[in-house]
Amino acid sequence: MTNLNIERVYLAAGIALLLAATLPRLFKDRAITAPMLMLGVGAIVGLVIGPTGLQTVSPMSHPAVIEHLAELCVIVALMGVGLAIDRPLDWRTWGSTWRLLLITMPLCIAAVAVFGWWAVALTPAAAALLAAALAPTDPVLASDVQVEGPTPGGAGSTEEDDEVRFALTSEAGFNDALAFPFVYLAIFLATESSVRSWFAGWVAWELFGKIVVGVLIGGILGDLLGRGLFRFPIKDARLADRGEPMAVLAAVFAVYGLTELAGGYGFLAVFACAIAIRRIERDSGYHEQMHSLVEQLEHVLTLVVLLLLGAALTTGLLDALSWPGVALGVLLVFVFRPLAGWLSLQRCQEMDRKERAVSAFFGVRGIGSIYYVSYGLTQLDLGREADAIWAIAAFTIVLSVIVHGASAGWVMKHLEHTRGRGQTGTAVRP
């Protein structure tokens, strides 16, 4: 990397740091959100600098650079999401989460893959990779519809009782890892011969085995770390008592690295670790300190990624976008996800009709999709289809940032107002 390009990276990082400190609060609950603004700033930067100046960090030219940056952003966000959830992990009380994961997500993957193959004319492997990349809802960009942070005690808090915020937060925590088996499905479709020779192994290891490894390592290490932070025998060594939140970053990197070395899904392990840590001493304010630290780092990384994405939009990233590709992005945001979410939540007794509709609609796409596209394309040589995948994914992310970002504040306020009327005697549940 030349000195000139290094200076541009430093400039982007400086802008992101400054804006990360000001934009989230300045644009909270507004139609124009910080991610939307960063995409716009990035687009202007791209027009000024031009494609040559951004070639070093272009997603198409150097997917590994964007892959690792997005990877770091996602694992930090997953730790924050796990710490923010007050509700203890339980099969019954997490019913809305399981429905979104086990019904909505597979339906969306199938719909995008079929449409990508049939209408966009992608090969089965490319269509599967695009579907897997666009499958997860984003734990990074969906903050306006998620729980804001840990509440001392957890049980009985306002956000813990908000089924919509809880469902969208917990779904985003899990499904960023659960998209991985389908990325590997795309890789196997492109690199292996007969499906019969690898399908059973894919189901056993990629679809189930790696998930089990991730959950076990994340849960066990999270429990051990939590006990060490709060209950270490030597009182002076208890970081929770000293109020030192830096331990949360150690947990993020250690758990992720160990799980990846063991062959499991590191994203899932980080989220499981956060849930396990949150379970220990639930009343402690130390959870808030840790969450605050990872949230600040997440904002910085998010804005850097969005700045680069915005710049790439005006320097060739959308050149391969076709009308069928546009249709695919529009259908995912307005039809596939809302319809699949609505169907999956029909038997969710914890939600009324409006809550089901809101939960189904806010399937925010973002940094996770960028990571999966980058990862998949570093493993595969798809030729010109790689440009089409980048273009469709980028368009869908931008569409989601605009549509979901502009509507989130108003929709959530309307939902809370409806609940308030219901509590004063107006029936709102079916």
Side-chain angles (χ1 to χ4, degrees):
M1 186 183 293
T2 66
N3 289 335
L4 182 60
N5 286 325
I6 290 175
E7 289 169 357
R8 290 193 176 104
V9 172
Y10 284 145
L11 175 61
I15 293 173
L17 283 169
L18 180 61
L19 295 179
T22 57
L23 291 183
R25 293 180 181 179
L26 186 62
F27 289 92
K28 184 176 177 60
D29 298 327
R30 296 180 182 272
I32 299 177
T33 63
M36 292 163 60
L37 189 60
M38 284 306 297
L39 284 173
V41 171
I44 295 172
V45 170
L47 289 173
V48 172
I49 296 178
T52 303
L54 289 170
Q55 187 176 8
T56 304
V57 290
S58 168
M60 293 184 293
S61 301
H62 298 277
V65 175
I66 303 300
E67 175 195 341
H68 293 303
L69 186 57
E71 178 183 35
L72 179 59
C73 187
V74 171
I75 62 175
V76 170
L78 288 172
M79 177 59 75
V81 167
L83 291 174
I85 295 176
D86 290 331
R87 188 178 302 185
L89 183 62
D90 183 88
W91 179 261
R92 292 171 297 176
T93 58
W94 287 50
S96 57
T97 308
W98 312 135
R99 288 178 171 86
L100 290 171
L101 292 174
L102 301 178
I103 301 176
T104 302
M105 187 176 178
L107 286 177
C108 287
I109 291 175
V112 171
V114 170
F115 192 89
W117 167 75
W118 172 69
V120 188
L122 297 173
T123 61
L129 176 59
L130 179 63
L134 293 177
T137 55
D138 201 79
V140 182
L141 300 181
S143 57
D144 287 341
V145 292
Q146 294 180 352
V147 297
E148 292 187 357
T151 308
S157 69
T158 302
E159 289 189 345
E160 189 270 342
D161 292 331
D162 190 328
E163 194 65 31
V164 173
R165 291 186 182 275
F166 167 76
L168 292 172
T169 304
S170 54
E171 178 200 13
F174 272 116
N175 69 8
D176 252 316
L178 299 183
F180 244 126
F182 302 97
V183 173
Y184 284 115
L185 177 64
I187 293 173
F188 290 161
L189 284 171
T191 58
E192 302 294 336
S193 53
S194 172
V195 174
R196 291 183 180 180
S197 65
W198 56 262
F199 186 76
W202 173 80
V203 172
W205 181 236
E206 311 296 341
L207 189 59
F208 291 106
K210 289 187 174 183
I211 290 176
V212 173
V213 171
V215 171
L216 287 178
I217 292 179
I220 293 172
L221 288 185
D223 185 78
L224 292 175
L225 287 168
R227 293 179 186 277
L229 293 172
F230 294 100
R231 303 174 185 175
F232 197 75
I234 302 174
K235 187 175 182 180
D236 290 341
R238 295 176 191 168
L239 295 181
D241 292 343
R242 293 166 52 189
E244 177 52 70
M246 195 62 67
V248 71
L249 295 183
V252 169
F253 300 132
V255 170
Y256 183 77
L258 179 61
T259 307
E260 290 292 313
L261 287 173
Y265 291 133
F267 285 174
L268 185 58
V270 170
F271 183 65
C273 174
I275 294 291
I277 292 175
R278 184 74 177 94
R279 183 181 65 84
I280 306 296
E281 300 293 340
R282 193 172 292 275
D283 292 335
S284 175
Y286 186 58
H287 295 295
E288 296 176 83
Q289 294 175 318
M290 292 191 293
H291 179 268
S292 177
L293 177 62
V294 296
E295 186 177 43
Q296 292 175 32
L297 180 57
E298 172 198 326
H299 286 159
V300 173
L301 294 170
T302 300
L303 295 180
V304 170
V305 173
L306 292 178
L307 186 67
L308 294 174
L309 177 63
L313 294 176
T314 53
T315 53
L317 189 63
L318 297 179
D319 287 353
L321 185 64
S322 61
W323 284 112
V326 171
L328 177 54
V330 172
L331 285 171
L332 176 60
V333 172
F334 291 103
V335 180
F336 295 159
R337 160 67 191 207
L339 181 58
W342 174 260
L343 291 173
S344 70
L345 294 172
Q346 282 306 295
R347 293 184 177 274
C348 183
Q349 301 301 319
E350 293 79 13
M351 293 183 180
D352 62 30
R353 286 189 295 270
K354 286 187 177 180
E355 290 171 329
R356 292 176 197 139
V358 170
S359 300
F361 177 71
F362 281 102
V364 182
R365 267 61 190 174
I367 309 300
S369 296
I370 295 174
Y371 168 75
Y372 280 119
V373 171
S374 302
Y375 178 84
L377 294 180
T378 58
Q379 306 296 315
L380 296 173
D381 182 10
L382 295 178
R384 291 185 177 181
E385 286 187 310
D387 294 343
I389 291 173
W390 266 121
I392 296 170
F395 170 77
T396 306
I397 292 167
V398 172
L399 180 64
S400 177
V401 167
I402 294 174
V403 171
H404 295 133
S407 60
W410 178 85
V411 170
M412 297 309 292
K413 284 183 179 179
H414 175 72
L415 195 61
E416 290 166 2
H417 177 68
T418 302
R419 292 194 191 107
R421 287 176 21 219
Q423 291 174 358
T424 59
T426 303
V428 296
R429 296 189 180 271

